[in-house]
Amino acid sequence: MAHVCIHWFRKGLRLHDNPALMAALKDCKELYPVFILDPYLHHAQVGINRQRFLIGALKDLDCSLRKLNSRLFVLRGKPEDVFPKLFNRWNVTKLTYEYDTEPYSLRRDEKVASLAKEHGVDVIYKISHTLYNIERIIEENNGKPPLTYKRLQAIVQNLGPPKKPIPAPTLENMRDVKTPGSQKYEDKYRIPTLEELRLDSQFLGEELFPGGEQEALRRLDKHMKRTGWVCSFEKPQTSPNSLSPSTTVLSPYITFGCLSVRTFWWRLTEVYRGRKHSDPPVSLHGQLLWREFFYTCSVGIPNFNKMNENPVCTKVDWDTNQKYLAAWREARTGFPFIDAIMTQLRQEGWIHHLARHAVACFLTRGDLWISWEEGQKVFEDLLLDGDWALNAGNWQWLSASAFFHQYFRVYSPIAFGKKTDKNGDYIKKYLPLLKKFPPEYIYEPWKAPRSVQQAAGCIVGKDYPHPIVQHEQVSKKNIQRMKEAYAKRSSDNNESPIKKQGITEIYISAGLLPPPP
């Protein structure tokens, strides 16, 4: 039987290594590649950089499909409302999509699969957003998610290397497949502009990371040519405040699925072959396994993005302080290093992973004592690579709520940035107001004599805020509060979380522990 098929793009915005798309083309006479702007995922709070990246990725995908005599159909609405209409309108007999492990996605897909069944539509999904089948990793660990990186490494070693990526479809694959089109379709299902999504693009900065599969593959090629850099890459040795990124910045492309994680893995394998190279957890392969680690935790741990009802998360009596939260989010803390990072995040949609460490520690256990769930929301909206599982996992880690338990190691909002940028060039770039401060005051402008502030054209308290907290005092107090939260957890569980996790040694070897206070 020749099918009329919808391939539903969600993540996985690419043609290469897309097994669900290839499954759509099997015994297919008509293909409708569809993307749905779901109000749950594409709402007004999502940062404009992230929306721009998505629109770029959709345009690129549409362009690639048109080269195969097809096109992308973009619709708006809840998928469970949209699909029944499409099933009837196009006489659909098959629906394909890439498997997604996020709780919202699983609920959504269950509803859509049930509607498909009612309409006599076959449903096929394939795993290609992760290196492995996450359920299989959990199965291999006696039905529980591995809570240490070392354990995950042992399991995937037993499973063998990830599947090899498959090539993109060609005109030959599309020979007997047509995508119906007319001028009416052109207008009805076109990709919206930012303005049509009610986003004001006039204040957008330069697009440093354009969305799309072609851009992703171009960047991958460029990095893979730097064989020495790839082989010696160690994440903790990269700089959080370099003026141009010191890492690959392929993460947004993997998050949106413009780049297949398996393609990245196997390209790295080719570069490593026959050469001396760094190893996980600090190598580039190691970074992809960290992603797999947090994905596995997010599937196997209930309520993974919340403190309450989350079995691995320490319960902490975080403060509710809207004033502090707004100052952090809007880069008004009075600590230039923190404010520069938050400014870069809002302007560009990307910050280095150690910069994320610094601002996350500052918001939570380090200084402001605000719940990691609040920081998680801000990152989810502003980061181009905001990923549900990684975001939740990293915020729990950095707030010392789960996975990492050396809560007495706190990032200094002053000393940490100085290690890699003594002159404060990064601060000058993102907070030009402070650019005339001499290096000895750029991290602590409030310490500059009045005459220096006047010469710099920036008076602290008038042009730039005073620090909202005294770091030395609050960090000591917060260490004490964290100690109490741990003591309570130990008495509740009758077991120390540090011992229970048994993972400190892997974090030290990964270089992922912050320096002692």
Side-chain angles (χ1 to χ4, degrees):
M1 172 188 166
H3 285 279
V4 175
C5 185
I6 289 178
H7 175 70
W8 181 16
F9 284 100
R10 301 99 67 87
K11 295 168 187 168
L13 301 177
R14 63 177 185 273
L15 299 189
H16 77 276
D17 193 29
N18 195 332
L21 177 61
M22 293 308 272
L25 297 178
K26 196 175 175 201
D27 302 323
C28 172
K29 62 177 179 182
E30 281 184 18
L31 175 71
Y32 292 89
V34 161
F35 183 87
I36 299 171
L37 286 161
D38 178 345
Y40 181 84
L41 299 172
H42 308 288
H43 51 80
Q45 277 68 52
V46 174
I48 192 163
N49 280 306
R50 196 173 163 88
Q51 300 277 32
R52 175 168 66 174
F53 189 96
L54 171 66
I55 297 294
L58 296 178
K59 283 180 179 167
D60 179 83
L61 185 58
D62 184 51
C63 185
S64 297
L65 286 165
R66 284 175 190 271
K67 286 174 186 163
L68 297 175
N69 301 320
S70 185
R71 59 156 297 182
L72 188 64
F73 294 78
V74 178
L75 299 98
R76 294 193 214 186
K78 293 180 179 170
E80 60 267 33
D81 297 338
V82 171
F83 274 114
K85 293 172 192 162
L86 296 183
F87 293 155
N88 291 330
R89 189 180 303 156
W90 294 335
N91 300 314
V92 175
T93 56
K94 183 163 75 169
L95 171 69
T96 63
Y97 56 81
E98 178 184 70
Y99 187 65
D100 189 341
T101 55
E102 288 183 28
Y104 167 74
S105 309
L106 292 169
R107 290 193 304 273
R108 173 198 66 196
D109 295 352
E110 200 180 329
K111 282 182 208 160
V112 170
S114 159
L115 289 164
K117 196 176 174 188
E118 283 171 29
H119 286 77
V121 174
D122 295 342
V123 175
I124 296 171
Y125 61 79
K126 299 284 183 184
I127 291 165
S128 52
H129 191 62
T130 47
L131 291 171
Y132 295 90
N133 177 346
I134 299 298
E135 300 289 353
R136 182 79 202 283
I137 293 175
I138 292 171
E139 211 176 278
E140 289 286 314
N141 198 46
N142 302 319
K144 293 181 193 140
L147 292 182
T148 74
Y149 187 85
K150 255 188 179 164
R151 182 73 197 124
L152 176 97
Q153 275 183 293
I155 292 165
V156 298
Q157 204 141 15
N158 282 343
L159 291 175
K163 281 184 181 171
K164 290 208 164 167
I166 62 170
T170 61
L171 279 167
E172 180 57 30
N173 298 123
M174 296 287 287
R175 194 177 54 185
D176 301 321
V177 181
K178 72 178 175 83
T179 296
S182 65
Q183 193 52 48
K184 187 180 80 177
Y185 275 11
E186 281 297 324
D187 296 336
K188 189 172 180 180
Y189 300 113
R190 67 184 173 77
I191 298 163
T193 62
L194 287 173
E195 287 68 28
E196 285 167 335
L197 295 174
R198 296 192 181 149
L199 295 163
D200 188 355
S201 59
Q202 65 171 328
F203 299 114
L204 265 177
E206 182 194 349
E207 190 168 19
L208 299 173
F209 316 111
E213 178 181 20
Q214 297 317 308
E215 180 68 15
L217 294 172
R218 186 190 69 74
R219 284 171 179 257
L220 179 67
D221 285 343
K222 187 181 92 177
H223 286 301
M224 293 307 100
K225 283 176 187 148
R226 303 165 66 196
T227 51
W229 181 81
V230 168
C231 290
S232 63
F233 182 93
E234 293 192 5
K235 190 68 169 270
Q237 305 310 317
T238 57
S239 166
N241 47 6
S242 55
L243 295 186
S244 58
S246 57
T247 54
T248 66
V249 197
L250 286 169
S251 53
Y253 299 94
I254 292 171
T255 297
F256 281 85
C258 302
L259 175 63
S260 151
V261 67
R262 300 192 296 210
T263 297
F264 192 7
W265 177 276
W266 283 100
R267 288 290 298 276
L268 286 167
T269 302
E270 284 165 30
V271 174
Y272 289 159
R273 196 168 285 124
R275 295 184 174 99
K276 189 173 180 290
H277 59 84
S278 56
D279 290 311
V282 296
S283 64
L284 284 166
H285 262 177
Q287 302 316 298
L288 297 181
L289 288 177
W290 277 118
R291 179 177 184 269
E292 216 73 3
F293 172 73
F294 283 127
Y295 263 78
T296 308
C297 289
S298 77
V299 170
I301 296 167
N303 303 301
F304 188 61
N305 67 330
K306 297 179 176 74
M307 177 175 80
N308 291 327
E309 311 299 321
N310 174 342
V312 302
C313 186
T314 302
K315 307 295 170 276
V316 178
D317 63 335
W318 302 111
D319 293 340
T320 301
N321 189 323
Q322 291 305 326
K323 193 176 127 208
Y324 279 4
L325 177 60
W328 176 81
R329 187 178 57 235
E330 292 156 21
R332 295 185 283 104
T333 67
F335 289 91
F337 180 54
I338 300 297
D339 292 343
I341 294 169
M342 294 306 287
T343 301
Q344 183 187 16
L345 172 60
R346 190 166 290 280
Q347 282 177 7
E348 299 174 6
W350 182 86
I351 47 177
H352 186 278
H353 114 119
L354 292 175
R356 299 177 198 205
H357 282 213
V359 293
C361 181
F362 184 87
L363 179 73
T364 57
R365 64 190 173 84
D367 295 77
L368 303 186
W369 201 254
I370 289 172
S371 168
W372 59 268
E373 288 180 54
E374 295 294 347
Q376 176 183 239
K377 283 179 209 157
V378 173
F379 272 25
E380 195 171 283
D381 291 339
L382 297 182
L383 279 170
L384 292 176
D385 59 11
D387 177 303
W388 190 85
L390 304 184
N391 201 19
N394 277 301
W395 273 99
Q396 285 172 82
W397 179 316
L398 294 163
S399 61
S401 298
F403 309 113
F404 166 72
H405 296 97
Q406 299 208 345
Y407 59 83
F408 44 83
R409 289 174 178 260
V410 174
Y411 287 95
S412 162
I414 298 153
F416 184 56
K418 282 183 183 175
K419 283 199 324 187
T420 44
D421 179 22
K422 277 197 173 60
N423 288 330
D425 292 332
Y426 175 80
I427 291 169
K428 290 172 188 175
K429 178 177 177 180
Y430 291 103
L431 302 177
L433 190 69
L434 301 177
K435 69 171 184 264
K436 290 186 179 165
F437 273 88
E440 61 266 36
Y441 296 118
I442 188 109
Y443 284 88
E444 303 169 276
W446 62 91
K447 287 190 174 175
R450 182 85 179 181
S451 59
V452 171
Q453 294 183 34
Q454 282 169 334
C458 175
I459 306 297
V460 174
K462 177 174 163 248
D463 305 308
Y464 180 72
H466 279 294
I468 54 173
V469 290
Q470 299 296 320
H471 172 68
E472 295 300 326
Q473 291 165 19
V474 294
S475 59
K476 287 192 178 98
K477 180 182 154 201
N478 290 348
I479 287 170
Q480 199 50 43
R481 288 175 88 174
M482 210 68 193
K483 193 175 179 182
E484 286 159 19
Y486 271 50
K488 186 173 184 314
R489 174 169 177 157
S490 293
S491 64
D492 289 351
N493 290 0
N494 209 9
E495 191 177 9
S496 150
I498 299 178
K499 280 186 191 155
K500 192 165 123 188
Q501 299 283 340
I503 50 177
T504 306
E505 86 295 342
I506 190 76
Y507 296 154
I508 292 168
S509 70
L512 290 166
L513 293 182

